[in-house]
Amino acid sequence: MLSFARPLSVPLSVFLSFCLLLLVAAEPLAAQTADSGDTAWLLTSTALILFMTLPGLALFYGGLVRRKNVVSVLLQCFAITGVVTLIWTAFGYSLAFDTTGMAAGESGLHAFVGTFSKAFLRGVSADSVTGTIPEVLFFAFQLTFAIITPGLIIGAFAERMKFSAMLLFTGLWVVFCYVPIAHMVWAGEGSFLGDLGLIDFAGGAVVHITAGTAALVAAVMVGARRGFPHAIEPPHNLTLTLIGTAMLWVGWFGFNGGSALAAGGQAAMAVVVTQISPCVAALTWMLIETVRVGKPSALGFATGAIAGLAAITPAAGTVGPVGAMAIGLVAGTLGYVAATSLKFRFRYDDALDVVGVHGVGGFVGIVMLAVFSSTAFGGSMVDLNIARQLGVQALGGLFTVVYTVIVSVVILKVVDLVVGLRVAEHEEDEGLDLTQHGEVGYRDI
């Protein structure tokens, strides 16, 4: 009897295997999903960074000005938050982080700025993912950086710029300065400074160098306060300033730790070095004060701490504790010189020391990370070419300075033509609280 069982078994098995492969291939790939731990950490970090501006920076600056200007400074921080949020939602986020048309090594228009494809968060839903977090959370996280950067600048022209001028300057500056620099550094492959190899973990160039440079330009173009430098009153409420310092310090853990965009070892080390650097910088500042004037001051400690925080920002993802100590030491020393000597020698009235703290601190961190990111100095980067990276970091920092100077000068000239930059002399004497807002921070009973 003829049997067909064996001859048919081979083609049948092949057929079944082929069908199985077709089913597997036809099954859609699982959608990329957000990691719950990373998402929780970035939600926390986003809240911490907004806390840095509201109320941290507002109170820090509010305590430093004279009592007749405290409401104006607080309101400026709140108003900036509103203006930047609307710009970021409308098109700022898209121009900063959209990668359409970008390719590694190519230097066309989109190496410098993105497109409008994600304007008003078009195409971004609650299910959209960037890396391991929801894209809408990445949008919110980056928004907080965009808010605090122009907020830092107001310290340079505090007590004398018109509120309308400040609002117009903020809107134009975010669009034409902050957004392009953020894109050039952080937009990924095909971004101008990113392809150059610039390391800027959490905003040494994007936040602090841009803010410090724009602050210097604004201080010069708006002009010094009446009575500068000999008849300027001291801060009216150091208690507020110290409370604001504490809030900024705590919030900075989200600023730097959150920039890892994940809840892992890099974020943990970023938090550690973010604690070390300001401690070293603050103690350094206080020690120099003690030697020079005989007494350490609370204001000196607070200012030194912020300088150390600004300096560690670009390096927090790649340096270790030794690097954090070195960066804090240099930031505290150079920040003190810039805030107490340079501005008086060159007679620019940087009212709340934005240039000395953020500009100098940001540049210190951008440059020094080229050395201390190497594993040879306790960093995390293996086989780092220190000499080459020093050149890249210095070039990236200088490019940021030059670009920011040009854009800030043009914007301030436009603002001056449209609404005028500065309040009248009698308004400055009376205080911006009353003359700009019809309110006062304190009522005498």
Side-chain angles (χ1 to χ4, degrees):
M1 185 175 73
L2 295 175
S3 172
F4 297 98
R6 184 170 182 82
L8 287 174
S9 64
V10 174
L12 180 61
S13 63
V14 172
F15 175 74
L16 292 174
S17 298
F18 180 70
C19 291
L20 181 61
L21 286 172
L22 285 177
L23 288 172
V24 171
E27 185 176 341
L29 294 174
Q32 188 178 11
T33 58
D35 179 86
S36 59
D38 294 344
T39 299
W41 171 233
L42 263 293
L43 285 167
T44 303
S45 297
T46 300
L48 284 170
I49 304 171
L50 183 60
F51 182 70
M52 290 173 69
T53 303
L54 302 175
L57 184 67
L59 294 178
F60 179 77
Y61 278 173
L64 290 175
V65 296
R66 289 168 285 189
R67 62 181 301 181
K68 62 185 178 182
N69 295 310
V70 60
V71 170
S72 72
V73 170
L74 294 175
L75 180 56
Q76 285 176 28
C77 289
F78 279 85
I80 285 171
T81 301
V83 168
V84 176
T85 297
L86 294 181
I87 292 172
W88 197 249
T89 303
F91 54 84
Y93 171 71
S94 185
L95 291 177
F97 288 100
D98 176 58
T99 58
T100 302
M102 292 174 61
E106 295 186 7
S107 56
L109 173 64
H110 299 307
F112 300 91
V113 70
T115 74
F116 292 94
S117 66
K118 293 186 178 182
F120 293 98
L121 293 182
R122 183 171 57 204
V124 179
S125 69
D127 297 323
S128 303
V129 176
T130 295
T132 59
I133 63 172
E135 185 175 3
V136 71
L137 175 56
F138 181 74
F139 158 86
F141 179 74
Q142 290 296 338
L143 167 61
T144 59
F145 283 74
I147 287 171
I148 198 170
T149 306
L152 297 173
I153 300 171
I154 67 173
F157 51 70
E159 304 191 302
R160 64 221 197 252
M161 183 182 267
K162 292 179 180 179
F163 185 71
S164 58
M166 183 279 301
L167 287 179
L168 183 55
F169 170 77
T170 294
L172 292 173
W173 191 87
V174 167
V175 172
F176 292 104
C177 190
Y178 180 84
V179 164
I181 291 293
H183 183 85
M184 284 185 256
V185 176
W186 286 338
E189 290 189 353
S191 60
F192 175 63
L193 292 174
D195 276 1
L196 186 67
L198 181 71
I199 300 172
D200 187 3
F201 183 68
V206 177
V207 176
H208 297 291
I209 293 179
T210 59
T213 304
L216 177 59
V217 173
V220 172
M221 292 185 66
V222 176
R225 290 167 291 176
R226 284 167 55 77
F228 177 84
H230 303 296
I232 297 298
E233 298 174 22
H236 90 281
N237 193 328
L238 278 178
T239 302
L240 287 184
T241 296
L242 290 174
I243 292 172
T245 302
M247 291 174 173
L248 284 165
W249 196 327
V250 172
W252 229 292
F253 292 143
F255 201 87
N256 289 352
S259 292
L261 300 180
Q266 187 181 41
M269 181 58 78
V271 167
V272 169
V273 297
T274 300
Q275 175 65 14
I276 294 172
S277 179
C279 288
V280 174
L283 292 173
T284 299
W285 193 298
M286 199 167 60
L287 177 61
I288 296 172
E289 270 188 331
T290 303
V291 171
R292 289 197 65 187
V293 300
K295 294 180 181 179
S297 72
L299 178 58
F301 186 95
T303 310
I306 302 301
L309 288 164
I312 197 61
T313 294
T318 53
V319 304
V322 172
M325 294 180 73
I327 289 171
L329 178 64
V330 175
T333 303
L334 295 185
Y336 179 88
V337 173
T340 61
S341 299
L342 289 184
K343 75 174 183 179
F344 296 108
R345 180 176 180 180
F346 294 102
R347 301 187 70 82
Y348 60 88
D349 185 10
D350 175 19
L352 308 184
D353 293 320
V354 186
V355 179
V357 172
H358 298 280
V360 172
F363 211 96
V364 165
I366 278 287
V367 172
M368 290 187 66
L369 72 81
V371 176
F372 290 98
S373 293
S374 170
T375 51
F377 294 94
S380 61
M381 300 185 71
V382 180
D383 298 326
L384 177 66
N385 186 328
I386 293 175
R388 180 188 179 281
Q389 196 62 46
L390 270 172
V392 169
Q393 297 300 120
L395 179 61
L398 289 172
F399 174 87
T400 304
V401 169
V402 172
Y403 180 86
T404 304
V405 166
I406 294 171
V407 174
S408 300
V409 167
V410 172
I411 290 173
L412 284 165
K413 284 186 176 295
V414 170
V415 173
D416 194 23
L417 287 172
V418 176
V419 298
L421 289 175
R422 187 168 181 149
V423 299
E425 289 186 2
H426 72 275
E427 292 178 310
E428 184 178 345
D429 290 338
E430 191 174 352
L432 302 190
D433 290 359
L434 277 174
T435 60
Q436 295 288 292
H437 310 294
E439 300 170 302
V440 293
Y442 308 98
R443 291 194 179 275
D444 297 323
I445 301 175

